[in-house]
Amino acid sequence: MSEAVEKILGNYAGENPGVIGNLRRLMNTGTLAGTGKMVILPVDQGFEHGPARSFAPNPPAYDPGYHPKLAVESGCNGYAAPLGFIEAIAHEFAGEIPLILKVNNSDSLGDPGQPCSALTSAVDDAQRLGCSAIGFTIYPGSGFRNEMYAQIRDIIREARDVGLPSILWAYARGGDMSKQGETAVDVIAYAAQIACQLGAHVVKVKPPTEHVWLDAAKKSYENIPVGTLEERVRHVVQSAFDGRRIVIFSGGAAKDRDSVIEDIRGIKAGGGFGSIVGRNAFQRSHDDGLSLLRDIMAIYKG
Amino acid sequence: MSEAVEKILGNYAGENPGVIGNLRRLMNTGTLAGTGKMVILPVDQGFEHGPARSFAPNPPAYDPGYHPKLAVESGCNGYAAPLGFIEAIAHEFAGEIPLILKVNNSDSLGDPGQPCSALTSAVDDAQRLGCSAIGFTIYPGSGFRNEMYAQIRDIIREARDVGLPSILWAYARGGDMSKQGETAVDVIAYAAQIACQLGAHVVKVKPPTEHVWLDAAKKSYENIPVGTLEERVRHVVQSAFDGRRIVIFSGGAAKDRDSVIEDIRGIKAGGGFGSIVGRNAFQRSHDDGLSLLRDIMAIYKG
Amino acid sequence: MSEAVEKILGNYAGENPGVIGNLRRLMNTGTLAGTGKMVILPVDQGFEHGPARSFAPNPPAYDPGYHPKLAVESGCNGYAAPLGFIEAIAHEFAGEIPLILKVNNSDSLGDPGQPCSALTSAVDDAQRLGCSAIGFTIYPGSGFRNEMYAQIRDIIREARDVGLPSILWAYARGGDMSKQGETAVDVIAYAAQIACQLGAHVVKVKPPTEHVWLDAAKKSYENIPVGTLEERVRHVVQSAFDGRRIVIFSGGAAKDRDSVIEDIRGIKAGGGFGSIVGRNAFQRSHDDGLSLLRDIMAIYKG
Amino acid sequence: MSEAVEKILGNYAGENPGVIGNLRRLMNTGTLAGTGKMVILPVDQGFEHGPARSFAPNPPAYDPGYHPKLAVESGCNGYAAPLGFIEAIAHEFAGEIPLILKVNNSDSLGDPGQPCSALTSAVDDAQRLGCSAIGFTIYPGSGFRNEMYAQIRDIIREARDVGLPSILWAYARGGDMSKQGETAVDVIAYAAQIACQLGAHVVKVKPPTEHVWLDAAKKSYENIPVGTLEERVRHVVQSAFDGRRIVIFSGGAAKDRDSVIEDIRGIKAGGGFGSIVGRNAFQRSHDDGLSLLRDIMAIYKG
Amino acid sequence: MSEAVEKILGNYAGENPGVIGNLRRLMNTGTLAGTGKMVILPVDQGFEHGPARSFAPNPPAYDPGYHPKLAVESGCNGYAAPLGFIEAIAHEFAGEIPLILKVNNSDSLGDPGQPCSALTSAVDDAQRLGCSAIGFTIYPGSGFRNEMYAQIRDIIREARDVGLPSILWAYARGGDMSKQGETAVDVIAYAAQIACQLGAHVVKVKPPTEHVWLDAAKKSYENIPVGTLEERVRHVVQSAFDGRRIVIFSGGAAKDRDSVIEDIRGIKAGGGFGSIVGRNAFQRSHDDGLSLLRDIMAIYKG
């Protein structure tokens, strides 16, 4: 038993053993097993951005078998993808690495007017495919807020009933929110709070910038230090029930190795629980991606 | 058995013993136990206004464990919060203090166009977490009126079936209602009436102002004394089935101690059943908040 | 057994004994028992117009216990109200006087754009509370026509299955209908026809005026006498399946005693089955209201 | 056993015996029993156009008992009406003549913006009332197309499960379709095809005109003879699965006897399966209506 | 056992034996049995374009019995059609050739504003009629994306539960997509990816053009060869999980024989799994259509 992991699980007291068990499984898998930190490989870009934009930089990645293999090799804690990608590999990888079924998705060809992912799979797909958790994207700020929150309300309950924890991608956007607002520190902290209040077991947000978007929040931030990524991550973690919920950070668009590594150091220093690294992993060549993932894990472990 | 409490419960004759029992529990808990008055600590501001605006004034309040502890220490009748906050503490506080699960919530990042809270948890969450009541916000005046009333119609029935009373936050807004109209005495009285007609067991409204908003109602108010808070509270209580339903009043934005105390005296004098005090409690330092809550209870008890 | 009542019930042959039994109960209660006529006391104005506009003229009427008592004292056939008012008194009055649960309601603070009442209670509330019928408002002419007709389709079937008849308030409005059109004789007759076609057991309409609203209907009315209220009522009753469905008429806004009485005489003369008298009863002092209700019943009985 | 009827029923091979049995009953009832032709009396005009416009020309028709009696007397194959009219007479006429419950209806007082009938009764009403089929109106061309097609998808399956065939009124309208387009030969043929593809057992359309509405279809019609009603009916029957589905034609607005008779001859000559005659029957005096219906049947029988 | 077929089925490992069995049945039927290639005859044009535009070029095609007979004679792998066409022939052809029930359809008379087919039949219709698969059209790019994806999410699961595979027609359109964009190579590849991610077992797309529509994708296509149909088909197959999902191509509007044959050669060369040939088959005379289908199969077999 890992003390670090059990301490984190203590914050989920009251949850049923099935959910606790799967959270424990996530944290006790891979290179970071037992550290209480996690790195997850998510591959929903084929759906969200299209196949060529996602996989042409590294063509073996067109194959759904590429990713879970990379996740296992690199020692990730879990692998997250939409239904089709999981279906194509579950018979081989279920039980090998925790699979996370992303149950809603958007594409870039057209949308319903305001940000709102489509429901694309269900909790019983996750069960059938041997998954350890479900993933769901909310877009706080969207005119379809109520539809999304009500959907995740039901999905979290359904997932819990069968022992599956829920991971929320909390990405504010829509309404009159500016592009800059989407990663503003107040907005990211607020999105994390909302995800926690909705009952998320794990929350994924983007690394916040120094910007404060909501006028009503500006005064509050006068005395909150948000000058460095470390400080901003600390504030986000605090906003996620004072550190009592697991918050992990995405890597964003593929970028140079040094920037990635610098971000990870900031997240670690600020008390973040880990990262979810997609394009920065699978859009590099296999060896580069593997090596980067291992370096990231080394930082978290260090 | 408290005579005051049993007299109030007499107004709920016809309700099942489960609901009566939980109402009795609410009124027989804390400092005001047995007086027929109640003070509830509600903490949904993290969801509604964001974490920094809510908790930065008193950073320990970021911790979901802070609030129920304050509620118990100060002798509140109950503690109300959204799903995440209740889940984080239910294993420790269920049975210790009546928990009220707020099953719908809004945030300040974006909305569906007209006021309408999102469904964020359910009656079976309330049961699972050992709660004693559910809370729900309606916005009379909103273009989504029908959706909200139909939702609470179903939720009240579902809650009753498992012995849980329903507390309605009745906040008129939306449509062509002015900001001033939202707290107009006719509007507050009307919102209280609607909540009661919808089957609320406890109604929460804001303290009304002297303003009368609906043109059609102006003539009726020519002969109704609404010059003082006491008179306005009396009118609202009368509008809530002539005092046969429990009506409590919110404190509104954090303000100076004297204003809070003065409001409480007015509510007490007008026959209000109590208060729901959030920001004025948890945005003060622990000791100040505790002391203010105790002073408020002393007034109701006095 | 009353011959008059059994003759009317003969028009409902094919209905189940539960529904027939409750219709018989309605017609065999109070002063008009056995006459085949009925006067019902409805009190939904607290919800529809607000408490002060409704009850300030006669403050004891704020108390939900006032109305069923008045209904019993005056010898009404039934008492109709929204959920909250019925819940407050059902334990005392169920079995004493037929209770009619109004399962949808509107308020005057705001609305969904086109007329459409919100669902505010359900058939199983009616059962739980010992009611003898349910009431539902349709607004023919509204852009939400299809929602309302589909709702009542389901509610009527659900109510029938548990032996409860359905009373439809048929008030045309919305779309491009003028205020004058709402009470035009062709519109009232059409609304009554629609309610009957939807399966209503009892239809409530407003007393029609001489106006004809639909251009397409003007030719048809050239040879239909509609100069007096008696003639118009006769036409409406004919439009309600040639007198084979019970049609009752509302009293409208409170007005002077003589006008009320004159209306009742017209309704009686035209073959109307009775009246539903709200504001004209409870907005008068107790004794005046009681005396007016008794006078109305005397006309129907005479 | 009638050879003509059994030959038609052969086109429905694969259907369950309940549905086949009710289709057989429809075709083996009345004057045209065994001929494979049918004349149905439909009376939904009270709902669709209002009572005075529908029944004032022949006041006995206000009585719901008038119509099924006329249908029996004249030897119709069936009687179709909305819920209220069927409920009023089912106890007398079920088993006497096939009853067809029209489960959706529109009125002329207002509508949802694009053509879409409201659901007004259900398959279990049809069962409860001893009906032999259900009727449903679709409006191809309407912006609410998807709602209507999905509704009938479910209703046809529900009806089949209890042995009831489905009759579709296929009336194209809405969107940018002109009044002239609604009866254009290409539109009528298309509407018939859609109804058949949706699984209708019997399709009802209006007699088509020579007009071709869809630009994309104009070329196709250069070589299709549509100069006479006979030719157009033949094309419509061909469009309804090459004659493998029963297609019947409505009579339209009441008109002079000779025009009606001429239409019927055209329909007969073109291979139409029969007519549905409403206003031309019940808006005439009883004797005239009866005599016209008999003449129509004589043509089909001849 | 065919090695080619079993190799393809290996990509569906994890699917239940019912689904695998029906996919095997599709691939082991007709002229191309055992080759891993397939040609399907789809006839939904009666619904989508109207009867005259579809069938007037070859009038025997009005008869629903014409098409499955042609499919069997020509050696197709399956026959796909909407409910009505399948119902008319299932009793004769179920078990003879795999039937594919198209469960949603559009028509050309009017629509809901953004592309979205109506649900027109259901999985239990497919079972009742002895079908081997269901077909469903998605329109990525449409404002109704979320409705369609959520529908197919549920239908795929329902179909799988009873052993039926799902074939997705993936046709991007709607929103601000240009006509040219609908067949752009990036859009077709993206649509194929989406269909696979949604869990489609077989994907049908149009043959792509050289155009690239999404600005964000232009850079990615600088290094992807898309100059010939062969190259574009190869890219689409790669985009469909690197060849691990069956992708077939439609023929489009009826055109001259040589163009059809040339397209087929390109699809074959690029690694496409087959074709779905409708208008090019049934809008020719019987003998011409038959001969063209046989020539197509000869290419795939060659």
Side-chain angles (χ1 to χ4, degrees):
Chain A
M1 284 245 163
S2 146
E3 206 179 318
V5 167
E6 298 307 312
K7 194 177 153 203
I8 292 169
L9 291 176
N11 292 324
Y12 296 84
E15 264 303 350
N16 69 38
V19 168
I20 294 293
N22 273 312
L23 286 173
R24 186 180 281 123
R25 184 168 292 133
L26 263 173
M27 287 189 283
N28 283 342
T29 294
T31 306
L32 294 175
T35 62
K37 301 290 177 186
M38 58 170 75
V39 171
I40 290 173
L41 179 72
V43 190
D44 56 1
Q45 285 79 5
F47 203 126
E48 308 266 333
H49 303 152
R53 283 174 70 197
S54 302
F55 307 129
N58 176 33
Y62 280 107
D63 179 353
Y66 178 82
H67 307 282
K69 198 155 159 286
L70 177 63
V72 169
E73 277 180 301
S74 62
C76 282
N77 297 68
Y79 168 63
L83 183 67
F85 257 28
I86 295 288
E87 282 186 329
I89 57 88
H91 60 291
E92 280 189 84
F93 287 94
E96 186 71 22
I97 182 172
L99 300 174
I100 299 157
L101 182 65
K102 189 77 197 325
V103 299
N104 69 348
N105 286 96
S106 294
D107 63 63
S108 313
L109 293 173
D111 61 50
Q114 276 283 298
C116 188
S117 294
L119 295 173
T120 54
S121 58
V123 169
D124 47 295
D125 289 312
Q127 292 178 267
R128 172 174 66 85
L129 297 166
C131 297
S132 299
I134 63 97
F136 187 94
T137 297
I138 55 168
Y139 296 124
S142 165
F144 288 126
R145 177 193 75 190
N146 286 15
E147 282 76 5
M148 290 182 280
Y149 292 3
Q151 285 170 354
I152 191 56
R153 176 187 78 137
D154 291 339
I155 288 171
I156 287 183
R157 285 153 59 210
E158 222 186 302
R160 165 186 294 111
D161 282 350
V162 297
L164 293 175
S166 295
I167 303 179
L168 259 62
W169 276 236
Y171 288 171
R173 64 181 63 165
D176 57 0
M177 192 175 293
S178 65
K179 197 75 197 159
Q180 201 190 12
E182 295 177 7
T183 52
V185 65
D186 64 317
V187 168
I188 297 283
Y190 199 164
Q193 164 81 203
I194 289 170
C196 292
Q197 293 285 19
L198 290 169
H201 297 96
V202 179
V203 179
K204 181 204 167 190
V205 291
K206 295 190 178 167
T209 68
E210 221 174 321
H211 181 61
V212 174
W213 181 69
L214 273 175
D215 284 338
K218 280 186 173 142
K219 202 163 176 305
S220 305
Y221 280 89
E222 280 167 13
N223 298 309
I224 302 176
V226 295
T228 66
L229 179 59
E230 176 183 341
E231 287 169 338
R232 294 190 294 269
V233 165
R234 181 161 298 122
H235 174 63
V236 171
V237 170
Q238 188 183 39
S239 295
F241 291 8
D242 213 20
R244 292 170 70 163
R245 288 290 173 266
I246 298 168
V247 188
I248 59 181
F249 293 82
S250 58
K255 49 191 173 186
D256 70 275
R257 190 182 187 91
D258 289 352
S259 310
V260 174
I261 293 295
E262 198 189 320
D263 273 9
I264 302 293
R265 290 197 203 280
I267 294 164
K268 169 89 188 295
F273 290 73
S275 287
I276 189 154
V277 184
R279 282 169 288 173
N280 277 300
F282 68 76
Q283 290 188 346
R284 284 178 157 79
S285 73
H286 175 265
D287 290 353
D288 275 10
L290 188 61
S291 132
L292 179 57
L293 283 168
R294 285 178 174 163
D295 288 355
I296 289 171
M297 291 180 212
I299 294 172
Y300 278 119
K301 203 163 183 175
Chain B
M1 285 246 164
S2 145
E3 206 180 320
V5 168
E6 299 307 312
K7 193 178 153 203
I8 293 169
L9 291 176
N11 292 324
Y12 296 84
E15 264 305 350
N16 68 37
V19 169
I20 294 293
N22 273 312
L23 286 173
R24 184 180 283 124
R25 185 168 291 134
L26 262 173
M27 287 190 282
N28 284 342
T29 294
T31 305
L32 295 174
T35 62
K37 301 292 176 184
M38 57 170 74
V39 171
I40 290 173
L41 179 72
V43 190
D44 57 1
Q45 285 78 6
F47 203 126
E48 308 267 332
H49 303 152
R53 282 174 71 197
S54 302
F55 307 130
N58 177 34
Y62 280 106
D63 179 353
Y66 178 83
H67 307 282
K69 198 154 158 286
L70 176 63
V72 169
E73 276 182 302
S74 62
C76 281
N77 296 67
Y79 168 63
L83 182 68
F85 256 28
I86 296 289
E87 283 186 329
I89 56 88
H91 61 292
E92 280 189 85
F93 287 93
E96 186 72 22
I97 183 173
L99 300 174
I100 300 158
L101 182 65
K102 190 77 199 324
V103 298
N104 69 349
N105 286 98
S106 295
D107 62 63
S108 315
L109 292 173
D111 61 50
Q114 276 283 300
C116 187
S117 294
L119 294 173
T120 53
S121 58
V123 169
D124 47 297
D125 288 313
Q127 292 179 267
R128 170 174 67 85
L129 296 167
C131 297
S132 300
I134 63 98
F136 187 93
T137 296
I138 55 168
Y139 296 125
S142 165
F144 288 125
R145 176 193 75 191
N146 286 13
E147 283 77 4
M148 291 182 279
Y149 292 3
Q151 286 170 351
I152 191 56
R153 176 188 79 137
D154 291 340
I155 289 171
I156 286 184
R157 284 153 61 210
E158 222 186 300
R160 165 186 293 111
D161 283 350
V162 298
L164 292 176
S166 296
I167 303 179
L168 260 63
W169 275 237
Y171 288 170
R173 64 180 66 163
D176 57 0
M177 192 176 293
S178 65
K179 197 74 197 160
Q180 200 190 12
E182 295 177 7
T183 51
V185 64
D186 64 317
V187 168
I188 297 284
Y190 198 164
Q193 164 82 203
I194 289 170
C196 292
Q197 292 285 19
L198 290 169
H201 298 96
V202 178
V203 179
K204 181 205 167 191
V205 291
K206 294 191 180 166
T209 67
E210 221 174 321
H211 181 61
V212 174
W213 181 68
L214 273 175
D215 284 339
K218 280 187 173 141
K219 202 163 176 304
S220 304
Y221 280 89
E222 281 169 12
N223 299 308
I224 302 175
V226 294
T228 66
L229 180 59
E230 175 183 343
E231 286 169 339
R232 294 190 294 269
V233 166
R234 181 162 297 123
H235 174 63
V236 171
V237 169
Q238 187 183 38
S239 295
F241 291 9
D242 213 19
R244 291 169 71 162
R245 289 290 173 266
I246 298 169
V247 188
I248 59 180
F249 293 81
S250 58
K255 49 192 173 187
D256 70 275
R257 191 182 186 94
D258 289 353
S259 311
V260 174
I261 294 295
E262 197 188 320
D263 273 9
I264 302 294
R265 291 197 203 281
I267 294 164
K268 168 90 188 296
F273 291 72
S275 288
I276 190 155
V277 183
R279 282 171 287 174
N280 277 299
F282 69 75
Q283 289 188 346
R284 284 178 157 80
S285 74
H286 176 265
D287 289 353
D288 276 11
L290 189 61
S291 133
L292 179 57
L293 283 168
R294 286 179 175 163
D295 287 356
I296 289 170
M297 290 180 213
I299 294 171
Y300 278 121
K301 205 163 180 177
Chain C
M1 286 242 164
S2 146
E3 206 181 319
V5 167
E6 298 307 312
K7 194 177 153 203
I8 292 170
L9 291 176
N11 292 324
Y12 296 85
E15 265 304 349
N16 68 37
V19 169
I20 294 294
N22 272 313
L23 286 173
R24 185 180 281 125
R25 185 169 290 134
L26 262 174
M27 288 191 282
N28 284 342
T29 294
T31 305
L32 295 174
T35 62
K37 301 293 176 182
M38 58 170 73
V39 171
I40 290 173
L41 180 72
V43 189
D44 57 2
Q45 285 79 6
F47 203 126
E48 308 266 332
H49 303 152
R53 282 174 70 196
S54 302
F55 307 130
N58 176 34
Y62 280 105
D63 179 354
Y66 178 83
H67 308 283
K69 197 154 160 286
L70 176 63
V72 170
E73 275 181 302
S74 62
C76 281
N77 296 67
Y79 168 64
L83 183 67
F85 257 29
I86 296 289
E87 283 187 328
I89 57 87
H91 61 291
E92 280 188 84
F93 288 94
E96 185 72 23
I97 182 172
L99 299 175
I100 301 158
L101 182 65
K102 190 76 199 323
V103 298
N104 69 349
N105 286 97
S106 295
D107 63 63
S108 313
L109 292 174
D111 61 52
Q114 276 282 302
C116 188
S117 294
L119 295 173
T120 52
S121 59
V123 169
D124 46 299
D125 288 313
Q127 291 179 268
R128 171 175 65 86
L129 296 167
C131 296
S132 299
I134 62 96
F136 187 93
T137 296
I138 56 170
Y139 296 124
S142 165
F144 288 126
R145 175 193 76 191
N146 287 13
E147 283 76 5
M148 290 182 280
Y149 292 4
Q151 286 170 352
I152 191 57
R153 175 188 79 136
D154 291 339
I155 289 171
I156 286 183
R157 284 153 61 211
E158 221 186 301
R160 165 187 294 110
D161 283 351
V162 298
L164 292 176
S166 295
I167 303 179
L168 260 64
W169 275 237
Y171 289 170
R173 64 180 65 164
D176 57 1
M177 192 176 294
S178 65
K179 197 74 197 161
Q180 200 189 14
E182 295 176 7
T183 52
V185 65
D186 64 317
V187 168
I188 296 284
Y190 198 163
Q193 164 81 201
I194 289 169
C196 291
Q197 292 285 18
L198 290 169
H201 298 95
V202 178
V203 179
K204 180 205 167 188
V205 291
K206 293 190 180 168
T209 67
E210 222 173 321
H211 181 60
V212 174
W213 181 69
L214 274 174
D215 283 340
K218 282 191 172 137
K219 201 163 176 306
S220 304
Y221 279 89
E222 280 168 12
N223 298 309
I224 301 176
V226 294
T228 65
L229 180 59
E230 174 182 342
E231 287 169 338
R232 295 190 293 269
V233 166
R234 181 162 297 122
H235 174 63
V236 171
V237 168
Q238 188 183 37
S239 295
F241 291 9
D242 213 19
R244 290 169 72 163
R245 288 291 172 265
I246 299 168
V247 189
I248 58 179
F249 293 81
S250 58
K255 48 192 173 187
D256 69 276
R257 190 183 187 93
D258 289 353
S259 310
V260 175
I261 293 294
E262 198 188 319
D263 273 11
I264 301 294
R265 290 195 203 282
I267 294 163
K268 168 90 188 294
F273 290 72
S275 288
I276 190 155
V277 184
R279 282 171 286 174
N280 277 299
F282 68 76
Q283 289 187 346
R284 283 179 159 80
S285 74
H286 176 266
D287 290 353
D288 276 11
L290 188 63
S291 133
L292 179 57
L293 283 168
R294 286 179 174 161
D295 288 356
I296 289 170
M297 291 179 210
I299 294 171
Y300 279 119
K301 203 161 182 178
Chain D
M1 286 245 165
S2 146
E3 207 180 317
V5 167
E6 297 307 313
K7 193 177 154 205
I8 293 170
L9 291 176
N11 293 324
Y12 297 85
E15 264 305 350
N16 68 36
V19 168
I20 295 294
N22 273 313
L23 286 173
R24 187 179 281 124
R25 184 169 292 134
L26 262 174
M27 287 190 283
N28 284 342
T29 295
T31 305
L32 295 173
T35 62
K37 301 292 177 184
M38 58 171 73
V39 172
I40 289 172
L41 179 71
V43 190
D44 56 3
Q45 286 78 5
F47 203 126
E48 307 266 333
H49 303 152
R53 282 175 69 197
S54 303
F55 306 130
N58 176 33
Y62 279 106
D63 179 354
Y66 178 83
H67 308 282
K69 198 155 160 284
L70 176 63
V72 169
E73 276 181 302
S74 62
C76 281
N77 296 67
Y79 168 63
L83 182 67
F85 257 28
I86 296 289
E87 282 186 329
I89 58 88
H91 62 290
E92 280 188 86
F93 288 94
E96 185 73 22
I97 182 171
L99 300 175
I100 299 158
L101 182 64
K102 189 78 196 324
V103 298
N104 69 348
N105 287 96
S106 295
D107 63 64
S108 313
L109 293 174
D111 61 51
Q114 276 281 302
C116 188
S117 294
L119 295 173
T120 53
S121 58
V123 169
D124 48 296
D125 288 313
Q127 290 178 268
R128 170 175 66 86
L129 296 166
C131 297
S132 298
I134 63 95
F136 187 93
T137 297
I138 55 169
Y139 296 124
S142 165
F144 288 125
R145 175 193 76 190
N146 287 13
E147 283 77 5
M148 290 183 281
Y149 292 4
Q151 285 170 352
I152 190 57
R153 176 187 79 136
D154 292 339
I155 289 171
I156 286 183
R157 285 154 60 213
E158 221 186 301
R160 164 186 294 111
D161 283 350
V162 298
L164 293 176
S166 295
I167 303 178
L168 259 62
W169 276 236
Y171 289 169
R173 65 180 65 166
D176 57 0
M177 191 175 293
S178 65
K179 197 74 198 160
Q180 201 190 13
E182 295 176 8
T183 52
V185 66
D186 65 317
V187 169
I188 296 284
Y190 199 164
Q193 164 81 201
I194 289 170
C196 291
Q197 292 285 19
L198 290 169
H201 298 96
V202 178
V203 178
K204 181 205 166 188
V205 292
K206 294 189 179 169
T209 67
E210 221 174 322
H211 181 61
V212 175
W213 181 69
L214 274 174
D215 284 340
K218 283 191 172 137
K219 202 164 176 304
S220 305
Y221 279 90
E222 280 168 12
N223 299 309
I224 302 175
V226 295
T228 65
L229 180 60
E230 175 182 343
E231 287 169 338
R232 295 190 294 268
V233 166
R234 181 163 296 122
H235 174 64
V236 171
V237 169
Q238 188 183 38
S239 295
F241 292 9
D242 213 19
R244 289 170 70 165
R245 288 292 172 265
I246 299 168
V247 188
I248 57 180
F249 294 82
S250 58
K255 49 192 174 187
D256 70 275
R257 190 182 187 96
D258 289 353
S259 311
V260 174
I261 293 295
E262 198 189 319
D263 274 10
I264 301 294
R265 290 196 203 281
I267 294 164
K268 169 91 188 292
F273 289 73
S275 288
I276 190 156
V277 184
R279 282 170 288 173
N280 278 299
F282 69 75
Q283 289 187 346
R284 283 180 159 80
S285 74
H286 176 266
D287 290 353
D288 276 11
L290 188 62
S291 132
L292 178 57
L293 283 168
R294 285 177 174 163
D295 288 356
I296 290 170
M297 291 180 211
I299 294 170
Y300 279 119
K301 203 161 183 180
Chain E
M1 284 246 165
S2 147
E3 207 179 318
V5 166
E6 297 307 312
K7 194 177 153 207
I8 293 169
L9 292 176
N11 293 324
Y12 297 85
E15 264 305 349
N16 67 37
V19 168
I20 295 293
N22 273 313
L23 286 173
R24 185 179 281 123
R25 186 168 290 133
L26 262 174
M27 287 190 283
N28 283 343
T29 294
T31 305
L32 295 174
T35 62
K37 301 291 177 186
M38 57 170 75
V39 171
I40 289 173
L41 179 71
V43 190
D44 57 2
Q45 285 77 6
F47 202 126
E48 307 267 332
H49 303 152
R53 282 174 70 196
S54 303
F55 306 130
N58 176 35
Y62 279 107
D63 179 353
Y66 178 82
H67 308 282
K69 198 156 160 284
L70 176 63
V72 170
E73 276 181 302
S74 62
C76 281
N77 296 67
Y79 168 63
L83 183 67
F85 257 29
I86 296 289
E87 282 186 330
I89 58 86
H91 61 291
E92 279 188 87
F93 288 93
E96 186 72 23
I97 182 171
L99 300 175
I100 299 158
L101 182 64
K102 189 76 196 327
V103 298
N104 69 347
N105 285 97
S106 293
D107 62 64
S108 313
L109 293 173
D111 61 51
Q114 276 283 300
C116 188
S117 293
L119 295 173
T120 54
S121 58
V123 170
D124 47 295
D125 289 312
Q127 291 178 267
R128 173 174 65 85
L129 296 166
C131 297
S132 299
I134 63 96
F136 187 94
T137 296
I138 56 167
Y139 296 124
S142 165
F144 288 125
R145 177 193 75 190
N146 288 13
E147 282 77 5
M148 290 183 281
Y149 292 3
Q151 285 170 354
I152 190 56
R153 176 187 80 136
D154 291 339
I155 288 171
I156 286 183
R157 285 153 61 211
E158 221 186 302
R160 165 186 294 111
D161 282 351
V162 298
L164 293 176
S166 295
I167 303 179
L168 259 61
W169 276 236
Y171 288 171
R173 65 181 64 164
D176 57 0
M177 192 175 293
S178 65
K179 197 76 198 159
Q180 201 190 12
E182 294 177 8
T183 52
V185 65
D186 65 317
V187 169
I188 296 284
Y190 199 164
Q193 165 81 203
I194 288 170
C196 291
Q197 292 286 19
L198 291 169
H201 298 95
V202 179
V203 178
K204 181 204 167 191
V205 292
K206 295 190 180 169
T209 68
E210 222 174 320
H211 181 60
V212 175
W213 181 69
L214 273 174
D215 284 339
K218 282 189 172 138
K219 201 163 177 305
S220 305
Y221 279 89
E222 280 167 13
N223 299 310
I224 302 176
V226 295
T228 65
L229 180 59
E230 176 183 341
E231 288 170 336
R232 295 190 293 269
V233 165
R234 181 162 297 121
H235 174 64
V236 171
V237 169
Q238 188 182 38
S239 295
F241 291 8
D242 213 20
R244 291 169 70 164
R245 289 291 173 265
I246 299 167
V247 188
I248 58 180
F249 293 82
S250 59
K255 48 193 174 187
D256 70 275
R257 191 182 186 92
D258 289 352
S259 311
V260 174
I261 292 295
E262 198 189 319
D263 273 10
I264 301 293
R265 289 196 204 282
I267 294 163
K268 169 89 188 296
F273 290 73
S275 288
I276 189 156
V277 184
R279 281 170 288 173
N280 278 299
F282 68 75
Q283 290 188 346
R284 284 179 158 79
S285 73
H286 176 264
D287 290 353
D288 276 10
L290 188 61
S291 132
L292 179 57
L293 283 168
R294 285 177 174 163
D295 288 355
I296 289 171
M297 290 181 213
I299 294 171
Y300 279 119
K301 203 162 183 177

